[in-house]
Amino acid sequence: GYDLDRAPTRAEASAMLVRLLGQEEAAQALTYTAPFTDVLDWAKPYVQYLYENGLANGKSETDFGASDPCTAQQYATFLMRALGYSDTDGDFTYTDALDFAAEKGVVNPYNCDVSNFLRDDVVAMSYTALSVAPKSGETDLLTKLVDEGAVADTHGYDQLFAEYRTYLQAVNSDESYSHMVMDLDLTSDLAGAKFMDMTMNMDIAIEPNEEHLDQSKLAMTGDFTATVNEAYVEDPAEAKMQQTFHYYYTDGAFYMDMAGEKYTMPLSFEDAMSQMDLSAATASSSDPLCLLTGLSSQKNGNTTVYTVEYAPGAVNSILDMVADMGLSAAGVEDMQCTITSCKITVTNGVLTAMDATVDLSTQIEGVEMTMTMDMDVKMDNDAVTVKLPDDLSSYQPFTA
């Protein structure tokens, strides 16, 4: 009944902003004196309030554009003004409103689809804005509104926002990890029957050289085992697959050993990290507030364990992008993902472990496949010594 899947009008966005600020009653008490002639009666109180308080302008002296679609840029401008920033005083410009809102933590790819801006985005951006500190310096906009008596926080969102800020500070620490261990277990069913079990173990060690990155050392070693239901293979001997992998980096060169096939190539340290998909794994991360339905923590000495609860389908937008990159052509469609459990461990203010369970379902050429993935990652930033094999000189130059 909320029509979240359609574009908002400027009049509707105005009403949302007034209600976000807790000024519904104040707006309804106003007499409409704004110069805009295209505003319907129901929307006049909201437009009047925003106009009087310098939160919204018209498209011309007499046209508010009340029935026109509200763009992401326009709503970002509304929200930044609501947070006390002024595009007339030089805090930001209308042109860079989205970038400015992203810089302040109001806009992210999960709560704002610029190319297809919907009422759903209006809600998500508004909710996010409540958790952001206004220009006047309060902890967050919600606190400011509560202090002013504009709204009442009867559901404890102030505690959630405070917990969220502490959580973000921990998971976005600038500490670089020198050691990471990951264990992955995956089970999948096809058309209701067991299809495959897979396990993967990986150990990553890095000796960084901050002054000369290409003199850094890195080792990533591991193995995976996949067992497929014999009903899906022609030869039972092919039902079980095992593979080991060893990647190394030293002195500006990348080395790879896949089941005894050994190759090397010159590579920068950054490119080597990318080659092994480690840049994303070791980068800081954050969970946008609009994806979470709950966040709690349990502290024991210097260690805090966060339990993160995600909204159903929170990461489906990522799956849609993956499908668009070619999986659809392979018959993969209707991908749905749910993060059923996630625990983040922070020790001395630094992320040290992640444990998550993810359920994934999809259709492959019309046949339903479901997967459950359990992931356990541990990391630390203690000094490590990277162990390189003695036979690097025997690796053959890689040619594409």
Side-chain angles (χ1 to χ4, degrees), residues 4-5 7 50 66 72 76 82 143 148 186 223 231 235 272 274 276 305 309 339 351 389:
L4 297 180
D5 57 352
L50 297 183
T143 298
E148 293 173 351
L186 182 146
D223 61 77
D235 184 353
S274 177
M276 289 180 277
V305 177
E309 299 173 26
I339 302 174
L351 179 66

Side-chain angles (χ1 to χ4, degrees), residues 65 93 196 231 248 281:
T93 66
M196 181 181 69
Y248 305 101

Side-chain angles (χ1 to χ4, degrees), residues 178-248:
S178 57
H179 191 209
M180 180 185 297
V181 177
M182 183 177 78
D183 297 316
L184 179 70
D185 293 304
L186 182 146
T187 61
S188 65
D189 292 344
L190 186 64
K194 175 69 70 178
F195 175 67
M196 181 181 69
D197 290 316
M198 188 185 81
T199 62
M200 184 173 71
N201 307 290
M202 187 164 58
D203 191 297
I204 305 160
I206 303 174
E207 278 186 61
N209 187 319
E210 301 295 343
E211 293 186 4
H212 305 285
L213 276 180
D214 289 353
Q215 294 180 19
S216 301
K217 295 181 180 180
L218 185 152
M220 183 173 88
T221 60
D223 61 77
F224 75 87
T225 301
T227 304
V228 180
N229 187 327
E230 292 185 2
Y232 294 100
V233 295
E234 294 183 4
D235 184 353
E238 298 175 351
K240 188 170 185 177
M241 297 170 284
Q242 292 179 299
Q243 180 76 63
T244 60
F245 54 87
H246 302 81
Y247 298 125
Y248 305 101

Side-chain angles (χ1 to χ4, degrees), residues 48-71:
Q48 180 66 33
Y49 181 88
L50 297 183
Y51 180 71
E52 280 191 17
N53 288 276
L55 296 174
N57 301 313
K59 289 193 164 185
S60 70
E61 290 185 2
T62 59
D63 184 13
F64 185 73
S67 298
D68 294 348
C70 179
T71 66

Side-chain angles (χ1 to χ4, degrees), residues 27 96 116 212 217 256:
D96 71 4
N116 185 30
H212 305 285
K217 295 181 180 180
M256 50 188 163

Side-chain angles (χ1 to χ4, degrees), residues 23-327:
Q23 297 300 326
E24 171 89 15
E25 186 175 343
Q28 294 293 341
L30 297 176
T31 300
Y32 188 73
T33 59
F36 312 119
T37 59
D38 65 332
V39 180
L40 296 176
D41 287 344
W42 73 265
K44 285 181 177 178
Y46 309 111
V47 173
Q48 180 66 33
Y49 181 88
L50 297 183
Y51 180 71
E52 280 191 17
N53 288 276
L55 296 174
N57 301 313
K59 289 193 164 185
S60 70
E61 290 185 2
T62 59
D63 184 13
F64 185 73
S67 298
D68 294 348
C70 179
T71 66
Q73 185 179 27
Q74 290 168 358
Y75 200 66
T77 302
F78 283 176
L79 289 178
M80 299 321 294
R81 291 172 182 165
L83 284 162
Y85 297 99
S86 171
D87 46 329
T88 57
D89 293 343
D91 291 331
F92 70 101
T93 66
Y94 176 72
T95 302
D96 71 4
L98 281 168
D99 290 337
F100 186 73
E103 176 188 323
K104 296 300 181 182
V106 174
V107 168
N108 59 67
Y110 295 90
N111 71 7
C112 179
D113 186 342
V114 175
S115 62
N116 185 30
F117 191 66
L118 304 176
R119 287 162 59 95
D120 182 48
D121 299 305
V122 168
V123 175
M125 287 172 64
S126 300
Y127 175 57
T128 303
L130 285 171
S131 71
V132 172
K135 184 182 178 181
S136 51
E138 289 85 354
T139 304
D140 49 47
L141 178 58
L142 176 63
T143 298
K144 181 176 186 291
L145 297 176
V146 170
D147 290 346
E148 293 173 351
V151 300
D153 180 20
T154 58
H155 296 286
Y157 282 99
D158 59 337
Q159 299 175 26
L160 172 62
F161 293 166
E163 191 87 85
Y164 180 68
R165 284 189 291 271
T166 303
Y167 168 73
L168 283 189
Q169 184 177 2
V171 299
N172 286 310
S173 167
D174 289 333
E175 295 283 353
S176 57
Y177 307 113
S178 57
H179 191 209
M180 180 185 297
V181 177
M182 183 177 78
D183 297 316
L184 179 70
D185 293 304
L186 182 146
T187 61
S188 65
D189 292 344
L190 186 64
K194 175 69 70 178
F195 175 67
M196 181 181 69
D197 290 316
M198 188 185 81
T199 62
M200 184 173 71
N201 307 290
M202 187 164 58
D203 191 297
I204 305 160
I206 303 174
E207 278 186 61
N209 187 319
E210 301 295 343
E211 293 186 4
H212 305 285
L213 276 180
D214 289 353
Q215 294 180 19
S216 301
K217 295 181 180 180
L218 185 152
M220 183 173 88
T221 60
D223 61 77
F224 75 87
T225 301
T227 304
V228 180
N229 187 327
E230 292 185 2
Y232 294 100
V233 295
E234 294 183 4
D235 184 353
E238 298 175 351
K240 188 170 185 177
M241 297 170 284
Q242 292 179 299
Q243 180 76 63
T244 60
F245 54 87
H246 302 81
Y247 298 125
Y248 305 101
Y249 183 85
T250 183
D251 294 328
F254 175 61
Y255 299 84
M256 50 188 163
D257 177 351
M258 295 291 290
E261 296 289 332
K262 300 179 180 181
Y263 298 97
T264 182
M265 69 178 76
L267 216 59
S268 70
F269 182 71
E270 294 94 331
D271 288 343
M273 293 281 285
S274 177
Q275 184 79 15
M276 289 180 277
D277 290 331
L278 293 183
S279 296
T282 58
S284 297
S285 62
S286 62
D287 296 302
L289 183 65
C290 64
L291 298 189
L292 308 185
T293 57
L295 178 65
S296 58
S297 64
Q298 186 171 3
K299 190 174 179 63
N300 183 11
N302 294 328
T303 298
T304 302
V305 177
Y306 291 91
T307 300
V308 188
E309 299 173 26
Y310 292 89
V315 296
N316 281 347
S317 58
I318 298 176
L319 297 180
D320 290 340
M321 288 187 287
V322 172
D324 290 342
M325 288 189 292
L327 288 181

